[in-house]
């Protein structure tokens, strides 16, 4: 991940021009690229499951993502973290942040459209706030954030069309997508409690985390999905893009944004993902769109934005 460059000492030779700082792509373009990559991830999952079992899709995604981070670590000459206790904590984080949610989203898209999966993903900030009020004593609730929590879940009910009895929606697939979204904040809280201040770089920690998640799926996949009997090229390309771009490259872009513009601005990518996922699902996959889906999505995003509000400093 790119970080702020440290100042260099000037050469004592007056005839040499000072070194120019390395040109970087404007953060707004990288922000837009990250939104597109993650927004299209749900379409790629859908295409991948057309040719492979959900566990196979997840394993391929993790392997390709791990390969990208391994290459980045090699370029930056970074090593994997050390310590059995640290690796134990990272194994738990890998399960909740990668192995479990990736698998749940893949299974959910067997029965629900990618547009709905993308909107369910936007509920992660809502789950995160609800859990932080219980698990993180320093995270104090405010009226605005509590109102955002209620508004967000009202948006979820709108997306699901509860007054119509969930007509036309697969309850199991929708529940899996919501559980996947819940898994992320569970993992974040665990990381905050156990891995904060470990002294290792974000790149090495994430590389190790994806490696552990890949090993977890490598154990589970043969037991429940077996090995592919034939290779479908288009779904395989979708899985490769999902892993290399949506899991590997996206992490590198995200860390660069956090380092340059801060976590608050970088986190706003969350609000663009369901919009792009919905547009991609409708335009490319031809998925149907009821009026409750976009209206509910707007309510969910408004609620999620309110839950991220912080008290003003005195």
């Amino acid at each position: 991940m790119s970080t702020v460059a440290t100042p260099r000492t000037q050469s004592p030779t007056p005839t040499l021009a000072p070194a120019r700082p390395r040109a970087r792509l404007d953060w707004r373009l990288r922000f837009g690229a990250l939104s597109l990559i993650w927004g299209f991830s749900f379409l790629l999952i859908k295409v991948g499951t057309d040719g492979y079992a959900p566990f196979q899709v997840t394993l391929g995604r993790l392997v390709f993502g791990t390969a990208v981070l391994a290459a980045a670590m090699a370029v930056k000459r970074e090593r994997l973290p050390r310590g059995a206790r640290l690796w134990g904590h990272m194994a738990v984080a890998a399960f909740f942040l990668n192995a479990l949610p990736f698998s749940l989203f893949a299974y959910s898209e067997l029965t629900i459209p990618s547009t709905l999966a993308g909107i369910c993903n936007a509920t992660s900030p809502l789950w995160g706030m609800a859990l932080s009020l219980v698990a993180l004593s320093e995270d104090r609730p405010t009226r605005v954030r509590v109102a955002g929590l209620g508004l967000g879940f009202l948006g979820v009910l709108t997306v699901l069309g509860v007054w119509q009895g969930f007509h036309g929606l697969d309850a199991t697939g929708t529940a899996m997508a919501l559980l996947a979204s819940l898994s992320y904040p569970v993992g974040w809280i665990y990381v905050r409690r156990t891995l904060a201040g470990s002294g290792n770089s974000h790149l090495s920690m994430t590389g190790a985390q994806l490696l552990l998640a890949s090993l977890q799926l490598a154990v589970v996949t043969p037991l429940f999905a077996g090995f592919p009997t034939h290779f479908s090229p288009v779904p395989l390309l979708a899985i490769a893009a999902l892993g290399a771009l949506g899991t590997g490259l996206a992490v590198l872009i995200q860390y660069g944004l956090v380092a340059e513009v801060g976590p608050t601005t970088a986190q706003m990518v969350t609000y663009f993902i369901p919009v792009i996922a919905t547009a991609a699902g409708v335009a490319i996959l031809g998925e149907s769109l009821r009026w409750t889906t976009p209206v509910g999505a707007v309510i969910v995003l408004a609620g999620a934005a309110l839950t991220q509000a912080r008290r003003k400093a005195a």
Side-chain angles (χ1 to χ4, degrees), residues 66 73 78-95 190-191 194-195 198 200-201 203-216:
T66 302
M73 290 178 63
E78 292 200 18
R79 297 181 178 179
L80 291 172
R82 296 181 179 180
R85 184 180 180 85
L86 183 64
W87 278 82
H89 288 312
M90 286 192 298
V92 177
F95 176 75
Y190 183 84
V191 167
T194 61
L195 294 174
S198 66
N200 296 285
S201 72
L203 178 58
S204 64
M205 293 287 285
T206 306
Q209 180 181 305
L210 285 183
L211 175 61
L212 288 168
S214 299
L215 293 176
Q216 291 169 359

Side-chain angles (χ1 to χ4, degrees), residues 225-298:
F227 297 95
T229 56
H230 65 282
F231 292 91
S232 304
V234 174
L236 184 59
L237 288 174
I239 295 171
L242 179 64
L245 301 179
T247 305
L249 180 62
V251 168
L252 299 177
I253 296 175
Q254 183 191 32
Y255 285 155
L257 287 173
V258 170
E260 184 171 347
V261 300
T264 301
T265 301
Q267 190 181 28
M268 292 190 68
V269 71
T270 304
Y271 307 123
F272 292 87
I273 293 173
V275 178
I276 296 171
T278 300
V282 172
I284 299 176
L285 297 181
E287 295 177 345
S288 60
L289 190 67
R290 301 180 304 170
W291 70 267
T292 56
T293 302
V295 171
V298 170

Side-chain angles (χ1 to χ4, degrees), residues 122-140:
T123 63
S124 279
L126 305 177
W127 297 119
M129 185 213 159
L131 290 174
S132 67
L133 296 179
V134 177
L136 301 174
S137 58
E138 69 272 20
D139 202 348
R140 303 290 183 179

Side-chain angles (χ1 to χ4, degrees), residues 161-183:
V162 291
W163 61 90
Q164 299 173 342
F166 303 98
H167 178 69
L169 293 178
D170 180 76
T172 302
T174 304
M176 285 184 175
L178 291 173
L179 283 174
S181 303
L182 171 61
S183 182

Side-chain angles (χ1 to χ4, degrees), residues 40-42 44-45 57 61 64 237-248:
F40 272 87
S41 292
F42 297 95
L44 294 174
I45 293 172
V57 172
R61 173 182 187 176
F64 282 108
L237 288 174
I239 295 171
L242 179 64
L245 301 179
T247 305

